[in-house]
Amino acid sequence: MHLPTAVNRFATRALVAPLLSPTLPVAVRRAGLDLVGASLPLPRGTRRTHGELGGVRTEVIAPAGQFGPHRVIYLHGGGYLVGSPASHRPLVAGLARATGTPVHVPAYRLAPEHPFPAALDDALTAWHALRAAGHPAQRIAVAGDSAGGGLAVSLLLRLRAEGEELPGAVGLISPWLDLTLTADALSRNASSDAMLNPSWLASAVADYTGSRAGAPELSPLDADLAGLPPLHVVAGAEEVLVDDADALVERARAAGTPVTYSRVAGMWHAFPVLAGLLAEADDALRTLGLALHADCTR
């Protein structure tokens, strides 16, 4: 049942956003976000299973009914410090229904215990395992939100650098791509973003990048974006990371990469995590899922 946008905004600001604040111990933040995600309703008929991809613990969310040969790997957000398959379960279930196929959510290693490149290595391992299971690269979409969106682009760059086949499509929700924290929207939208406070980001960058801050995979906006698979980007017009999405879309289009962009008015960072409660979240996931489905089944 959808709730009014104002109610969702208030709940995000009052209940979810505080769990991202570095003023809380990271273990508390992780447990709180998992509890929120696990408590929200899922679409009727959604099926959950647990397993692994190449040794990386993975949750698989499948929609009701039959599905085709394509698959989705979803990389959850959380600033590389928090988040899990449980915290993002409603979003992933909505995406599974929209794409009409199971979505695999790796529980990649988190900082500060495991700084870069641990998360990227786990994403690559999960990709290789799905490929080894017989799924062609063209039939796999890679998607992610926030830090998971940045991780998805880093995975693309790693695959291309190693001469491997690329996914059939990429879906990015509020991607965090500029770890230098110089974008104007960080100050311009600081008061309008119900989810993310820009003052929390510097410590996350330090914890995640560690001694590898100069690695090319950490600066996807500086990469050559030509020859990538179709990119489908969703962002909230009122979020603090919207400039990251804007810049990626502009540079990818200039490089000749196919791009669609849903820049949703009135929305905050990673608003599709409220799938099932927020109409705009369900609309965004439906559009994104249909685009990924079309690219991976053509």
Side-chain angles (χ1 to χ4, degrees):
M1 179 182 69
H2 291 152
L3 300 175
T5 299
V7 173
N8 279 287
R9 180 187 293 275
F10 174 81
T12 298
R13 194 180 294 277
L15 301 177
V16 182
L19 296 173
L20 298 174
S21 171
T23 59
L24 292 176
V26 69
V28 173
R29 289 186 274 162
R30 290 172 182 170
L33 288 170
D34 285 357
L35 181 62
V36 171
S39 67
L40 296 179
L42 304 181
R44 187 183 302 273
T46 299
R47 290 167 285 171
R48 292 194 295 117
T49 57
H50 295 88
E52 63 176 42
L53 285 172
V56 178
R57 185 169 53 86
T58 301
E59 182 167 286
V60 183
I61 302 290
Q66 301 296 313
F67 36 82
H70 59 299
R71 294 293 185 270
V72 179
I73 293 177
Y74 192 85
L75 302 170
H76 67 78
Y80 300 105
L81 305 176
V82 299
S84 73
S87 68
H88 282 65
R89 200 169 284 153
L91 185 159
V92 173
L95 187 62
R97 181 171 61 172
T99 56
T101 197
V103 179
H104 302 256
V105 191
Y108 60 83
R109 287 171 291 172
L110 299 173
E113 303 96 322
H114 305 286
F116 177 86
L120 179 55
D121 289 344
D122 287 353
L124 184 65
T125 295
W127 167 266
H128 284 155
L130 204 56
R131 293 280 286 113
H135 298 286
Q138 176 58 40
R139 298 292 190 195
I140 304 173
V142 174
D145 69 285
S146 193
L151 187 56
V153 180
S154 293
L155 176 60
L156 277 185
L157 299 178
R158 172 75 69 85
L159 290 171
R160 186 175 65 180
E162 296 183 354
E164 298 193 34
E165 290 185 84
L166 301 181
V170 178
L172 304 173
I173 298 171
S174 299
W176 186 18
L177 303 168
D178 181 8
L179 301 187
T180 67
L181 304 179
T182 56
D184 178 69
L186 291 170
S187 56
R188 186 180 73 245
N189 289 345
S191 62
S192 60
D193 194 327
M195 177 72 80
L196 196 57
N197 186 323
S199 68
W200 301 338
L201 298 178
S203 61
V205 171
D207 285 339
Y208 176 57
T209 60
S211 62
R212 299 287 300 279
E217 292 151 336
L218 293 173
S219 303
L221 292 179
D222 296 330
D224 178 6
L225 300 178
L228 298 181
L231 303 179
H232 305 286
V233 185
V234 176
E238 294 187 0
E239 68 167 287
V240 296
L241 296 184
V242 69
D243 285 359
D244 290 26
D246 290 349
L248 178 72
V249 168
E250 179 182 358
R251 296 176 192 186
R253 284 175 173 164
T257 293
V259 180
T260 67
Y261 188 21
S262 297
R263 194 179 194 273
V264 186
M267 289 294 107
W268 50 91
H269 180 66
F271 66 93
V273 298
L274 295 173
L277 298 178
L278 177 65
E280 291 89 345
D282 288 348
D283 289 345
L285 289 175
R286 186 179 305 111
T287 300
L288 177 61
L290 290 174
L292 298 179
H293 177 277
D295 287 334
C296 292
T297 59
R298 64 177 57 182

